[in-house]
Amino acid sequence: MKKVLIIAICLLGITLSTYAEDMKLTVPELEPKLNYGEVASSRPILTLNVSNTDFMKTANQAWKPDFDFFKSKTNPGVKPYKFMDDMTFVGVPLFAAGWALKSDKAMFRVNQKVENGGKKNTQLLSDFKTGVDDYLQFFGPAAVVGLKLGGVEGRSDWPRLLASAALSYGIMAGFVNGIKYTAKEMRPDGSTANSWPSGHTATSFVGATLLHKEYGLTRSPWFSVAGYGAATATGVMRVLNNRHWVSDVMSGAGIGILSTELGYAIGDLLFKGKGLLRNDLGINSEKPSFFSISMGLGIGNKSIDFNGADVIGYEGAKIEADEDDQIQFRAATVVDAEGAYFFNKYVGVGGRLRVRAMSAKSFGKYSEYLLMEDWNAWEGMIPSYEYCYPERFDKSTEIENYFQFLNDIGYKDTEDALKANAPVTDIHGVVKSDHLAEFTGSLGLYFNLPLGSHFALGTKALIGRSFTQELDIDGYAEGNKKDIDYIITMQNINGEAIKDLAYLDYPTNTGEKWTDEWDYLTLGAKSSTSFGTGLSLTYKYKSNFSWRLYCDYDYTEKDFTLKYDPYHFMKTGVTDATYALMQQASINDFLLEPIEFKKTKKMNYFTLGLAFLVNF
């Protein structure tokens, strides 16, 4: 009877252990081996309260999906939120930063083709396009719904979650569409006048904040990192796709965060303590160790200029420097992943990965040969119009009266026919990359000065290595291959033979069509050593979550190389003999071969931004 009682006690202990985290049961002088499966010994020890009969709500509970969309549930011991108890208002400075940047637009647009009302060949076309951002904007809500359906409890039950989410998206949609159709900001690609703010970015940051509040605050901070990381990537891709300016993305991110905080604040007011399932996580460490992701605005060094002194293999006097020789850039988009381990409250070590993308605002003179009309594409190398019908061209006649001149002498051919007979019938540039992107990895010391329980000042001293992805434009041209003669006039000026004019004569079609694709313009730089510092203000609004406003300064000295080949198509568009004549006759003969510039430039970068921190 005694043995039976001992065995019964053992069975009861094993049964209870399947509902509790772990209950250690010591049975003297007896180790019954029963085939009930292995009881995990690695679970956290749970103190068993016999009076608590809610054994089913434990970590060892069998997995069960949650489809109770309309059933309200409230777990005991969960602290209710007060109205606006969880507001941070970090979306306000983000929105304001985007508003302040609205004036920083490009001087040219891309993809505005003829069928969309644009003027033929006065635009550069961009072939960078990704549709990932169309789907990535929904990462946050997809993750929340997936976790919820999978039975992973978050902050709220289904009714409270759906109400808070609906309020958040509704507020965001009202803000975004109200501003879009009032501001009427033209998109970078010239397609529609509803650019500011970015709806994709606002949508993605609503989803990221949903994931942060439901699971980042209550389950694991890495849910928050994943959500805000995906939202940041969405915003960056909207800029790279030429669908939005940096200002649109900054304001969209601010609206998304602020809308979700307002949506949850209203939900907390309506539901009070009902429908709450989990409390916020908390840590007790006083060390400000952190991991962060951030998005910022880069300013400083917004142009790179090249002149005759920078040309390799040519006489500098042939190329005069002026403002048109500058490649100008808009304010940069900056994305960081950063982390540091602190030994105490004040000093730590860490590192930062930074991507800085500066999109071209103007390519200056370097794009002019791709932006001219098709049949004037040889202007500068061969006089305009002359190559079509030189024997009928009156030098004294103004260009705009040329077709009237042809009618006066009885020539009835049309402008289209003249274009069809031209050496170049189409020429344009394809922008492979209009961003000069820098990738920098840095390590160094981090410093923290506490200003109370919620605020702290910080700085750092970093050293790293910077790598550059080049800006790239390809040229495309096609036309009729020509066989041409030149009549060259020379003058004796002060005892020196000077070429006065080179007249084109006897252009004839060879009967061949030609096409040419080539590297028209590339701008890149060698890797370089980078030095960085900065000043930050951190607001710790939860024990393990913070927001940080920062201003960083980075310095590097870069060796830039620009390769420029504007007349590559001339080799393809004429016979070999004609090309040899052109090298002798053209006043711009040095442009017939690729030109390479090299310049060393000291780069001073400032970055203003907002970071989301996970403290550990």
Side-chain angles (χ1 to χ4, degrees), residues 378-397:
W378 286 8
E379 186 176 6
M381 304 301 294
I382 301 174
S384 300
Y385 301 98
E386 213 173 341
Y387 54 76
C388 291
Y389 298 94
E391 69 278 6
R392 296 179 177 177
F393 185 70
D394 184 353
K395 286 284 186 182
S396 64
T397 304

Side-chain angles (χ1 to χ4, degrees), residues 305-447:
D305 60 307
F306 297 91
N307 54 47
D310 304 316
V311 179
I312 297 175
Y314 291 90
E315 297 178 14
K318 288 188 175 181
I319 302 178
E320 298 179 357
D322 56 40
E323 291 183 359
D324 290 337
D325 293 326
Q326 295 181 349
I327 296 180
Q328 298 180 346
F329 297 91
R330 298 200 297 265
T333 305
V334 182
V335 178
D336 295 339
E338 190 171 14
Y341 173 78
F342 276 76
F343 305 109
N344 49 47
K345 291 182 180 181
Y346 309 104
V347 181
V349 294
R352 181 187 69 193
L353 295 176
R354 167 163 287 177
V355 180
R356 171 186 291 268
M358 299 188 298
S359 59
K361 185 175 183 179
S362 169
F363 294 116
K365 291 171 63 175
Y366 302 109
S367 61
E368 65 182 9
Y369 296 104
L370 292 175
L371 300 181
M372 60 181 63
E373 293 287 351
D374 304 341
W375 62 332
N376 290 333
W378 286 8
E379 186 176 6
M381 304 301 294
I382 301 174
S384 300
Y385 301 98
E386 213 173 341
Y387 54 76
C388 291
Y389 298 94
E391 69 278 6
R392 296 179 177 177
F393 185 70
D394 184 353
K395 286 284 186 182
S396 64
T397 304
E398 295 292 336
I399 296 299
E400 58 266 23
N401 297 327
Y402 177 54
F403 292 108
Q404 182 62 45
F405 166 73
L406 291 179
N407 289 329
D408 292 344
I409 64 175
Y411 190 78
K412 302 300 183 183
D413 209 345
T414 65
E415 181 178 352
D416 289 339
L418 289 174
K419 289 182 178 180
N421 189 49
V424 180
T425 56
D426 182 31
I427 184 169
H428 61 264
V430 178
V431 181
K432 297 294 184 180
S433 171
D434 69 342
H435 290 74
L436 195 64
E438 294 185 26
F439 303 86
T440 306
S442 304
L443 297 172
L445 295 174
Y446 285 74
F447 305 95

Side-chain angles (χ1 to χ4, degrees), residues 207-227:
T209 310
L210 285 175
L211 184 60
H212 165 63
K213 286 184 173 295
E214 289 295 327
Y215 291 98
L217 289 173
T218 63
R219 285 284 185 176
S220 169
W222 299 110
F223 286 115
S224 302
V225 171

Side-chain angles (χ1 to χ4, degrees), residues 66 140-158 161 207-225 264 277-281 544-545:
D66 185 358
V144 170
V145 172
L147 289 166
K148 192 71 173 169
L149 289 175
V152 181
E153 283 187 345
R155 178 188 197 261
S156 313
D157 65 0
W158 276 113
L161 169 62
T209 310
L210 285 175
L211 184 60
H212 165 63
K213 286 184 173 295
E214 289 295 327
Y215 291 98
L217 289 173
T218 63
R219 285 284 185 176
S220 169
W222 299 110
F223 286 115
S224 302
V225 171
Y264 268 77
L277 304 179
R278 294 182 67 89
N279 284 314
D280 290 347
L281 297 171
N544 57 337
F545 289 103

Side-chain angles (χ1 to χ4, degrees), residues 532-588:
T533 185
L535 187 65
S536 64
L537 176 64
T538 302
Y539 169 57
K540 192 171 186 178
Y541 81 105
K542 298 286 184 180
S543 65
N544 57 337
F545 289 103
S546 304
W547 290 98
R548 172 176 291 170
L549 287 171
Y550 66 90
C551 177
D552 284 354
Y553 169 74
D554 294 281
Y555 169 82
T556 184
E557 187 172 296
K558 285 192 171 294
D559 294 325
F560 288 97
T561 300
L562 183 142
K563 293 182 180 179
Y564 180 46
D565 192 5
Y567 283 113
H568 186 278
F569 64 90
M570 299 296 285
K571 293 182 181 180
T572 310
V574 297
T575 62
D576 293 340
T578 297
Y579 187 77
L581 284 175
M582 288 168 54
Q583 289 178 305
Q584 299 299 319
S586 175
I587 59 174
N588 293 327

Side-chain angles (χ1 to χ4, degrees), residues 13-47:
I14 295 173
T15 303
L16 289 175
S17 69
T18 62
Y19 298 108
E21 291 282 334
D22 189 10
M23 183 171 68
K24 295 182 178 180
L25 183 63
T26 303
V27 181
E29 301 179 357
L30 182 63
E31 293 184 45
K33 295 183 179 180
L34 302 175
N35 191 21
Y36 280 84
E38 185 176 335
V39 179
S41 60
S42 60
R43 302 187 189 117
I45 297 176
L46 175 69
T47 301

